[in-house]
Amino acid sequence: MATIKQVAKLVGVSPTTVSNVIHGRKNKVSPEIYKRVKEALNQTNYVSNMSGRILSQNGSKIIGVILNYSRRSEINVVSDPFYNQMIGYLEEQIRMNEYYMMLYTSGSVQESLNLASAWKIEGLVILGALPEDAEKIIQVAQMPVAFIDTYISDALMKKRFINVGLQDFKGCYEITNYLIDLGHRQIGFCADGNTLKGVDEERYKGFKQAMADAGLKFDEEKDYFGLPYQINERHDYLSKLAKQRFRSYTALVFTSDYLAIDAMNILKDNQYRVPQDLSITGFDHNIFSEQARPKLTTVEQNVHEKAELTIKHLMQEIHEQGTQITNIKLSTKLIIQESTQALKK
Amino acid sequence: MATIKQVAKLVGVSPTTVSNVIHGRKNKVSPEIYKRVKEALNQTNYVSNMSGRILSQNGSKIIGVILNYSRRSEINVVSDPFYNQMIGYLEEQIRMNEYYMMLYTSGSVQESLNLASAWKIEGLVILGALPEDAEKIIQVAQMPVAFIDTYISDALMKKRFINVGLQDFKGCYEITNYLIDLGHRQIGFCADGNTLKGVDEERYKGFKQAMADAGLKFDEEKDYFGLPYQINERHDYLSKLAKQRFRSYTALVFTSDYLAIDAMNILKDNQYRVPQDLSITGFDHNIFSEQARPKLTTVEQNVHEKAELTIKHLMQEIHEQGTQITNIKLSTKLIIQESTQALKK
DNA sequence: CTGTTAGCGCGTTCAG
DNA sequence: CTGAACGCGCTAACAG
């Protein structure tokens, strides 16, 4: 509640002196006064008013974290533990850098940029942006931006933009290969919705490549399953699939643990045994894959590392030490658990 | 990027006029000029600078959301879907009220209050605060504060404080009673940690009351299981319990779905069949209880409603229309699913 | 080493 | 209906 002025009056010095003490500029204040001001600061429980600070050109100390939910339905963004974990870790990293986190979910680029300029936000973290939105942002944003899990062509990348993602192609290639090695030939691919973009698209490509490399047939019309976003619709649809079309497969690859577990439960309800009747794989290695029985064979990504790297590079850019384009693809790890087994001959 | 001054110069009017247009004060500006200014505003993509606004006494439009993790380990806060859902819904509600959300996890009251005063935060939402922390906050906070899931005595409540919670006692009483009705007599109670506070304590009381009302013995030393926070330690401990002490029970009551599912898996790994060998209940009715097989018998709380009510009342307080102490206890609902069954004689 | 002054962008007087 | 002037809290440049 106390302002610099009030503290200054209390001690009997000028506001500048107080400001200097606050910023620890010992060389500009005599030790004696420094001590007295410091005490007054503690006594009055002085907290600097951020708006004053921002106005006098000193950075807002805010990192905006924007959750894009144009891709997935809102329900999933709230429920999918990947986003939740990510937000938790981002908050941790931002706080550790003595910045503040403003969280915003937004479907539109303009909205996000308005937020940023209204608050003179120093850096932006954008989760799950579509490639076309990312392009727009790169063109107009005035501050460093870090994208997480967005596919941006290198040509578009600029110095102040950071892109942290995963080796989605490779991850999905490997897990598909693993299924093929187990003897599976009829493998279906299941994802959110009918048009794949970004992360899911890369995973799909990895899957198809693995199939092609093994000389296996894959019919994009028949063997690709686009699941509804809405949980009830999805369950109905999965039930139908379980009763008919899924019967001709021995393994199913899902683009996320969330979807895989969801489907596995519906399959169980329809008297499938996993993995005896059907092998199932997920992607993420989050809490769902561990809590499920059988535990899910999946692809691990290190969410904490993702958050840490993102904020680390963002901070570098903010402090102008960034020297090159940052486009990181973190490696993945195949986690073999209980939801897959070798095909019996 | 444009400031009021710049827009004013562009149109050829004074800053005041522009300000008036921004605030829609049509009676103070001629229609002709109003239109021209409006156009310029759109063209330049004007966004008002928040710091200027805050400084000139007009509210920061920030709601601070503080996650207290002194009670639970950080790991759980990040993983427990209750918190995640809550944050998602709070963000939604805050945004819908045209406010901004600043997210902060903190173990100390002072830190939280510093955040609030630095940003002139208009309202605070505090998740899972300890009663003693809540008391401190009530004493010193300058703005409306809404506590979620904190037990505060009515005597301490003041006009500007809001408390939204659950009928935890009743919820746990009912589910325990349900088990008793099913014929269970040896019922254990499992919770996070060894000293129960707030929500968990109330649930424990509800449990004990149900046992007492049914004339059943309950030994606080023996029949209460305090589980370690750390996931690995917890699993080890649960494994031990599964092999020995759990054998003498026919039902276990858990304080959250998260813990119940975690334990259920360990039990399965130890050849228990749920519910045939052991009935299990959770609390929350979140995604875990639905994704599990068997689906968990649990107590439902409406998280969305909780968030909505919290922000609604907080907004009322902010706009000074709050007239009375707000201490809400939302009702719960028993959700009977597959993890419980009648005891065979 | 210390104090004075100006200005950041906005909203709100108060005169014209 | 319009504009000039002030102040919010802070910092940086400049004077003493």
Side-chain angles (χ1 to χ4, degrees), chain B residues 13 16 23 26 58 76 152 162-163 179 184 204 242 308 316:
Chain B
V13 294
T16 315
H23 292 86
K26 294 203 179 184
N58 232 325
N76 282 7
I152 308 171
I162 298 155
N163 193 20
L179 287 171
H184 293 280
Y204 188 36
E308 202 179 342
Q316 269 178 16

Side-chain angles (χ1 to χ4, degrees), chain A residues 188-191 193 222-227 237 241 245-246 249 252:
Chain A
F189 186 88
C190 306
K222 220 172 106 287
D223 303 332
Y224 169 84
F225 300 93
L227 308 177
Y237 187 59
L241 291 175
R245 291 170 61 194
F246 277 171
Y249 297 88
L252 294 175

Side-chain angles (χ1 to χ4, degrees), chain B residues 241-243 246-247 267-268 270-274 277-278:
Chain B
L241 291 175
K243 291 190 178 74
F246 277 173
R247 297 229 181 272
L267 288 169
K268 272 192 217 167
N270 283 277
Q271 281 73 51
Y272 279 78
R273 290 166 306 159
V274 175
D277 300 328
L278 196 52

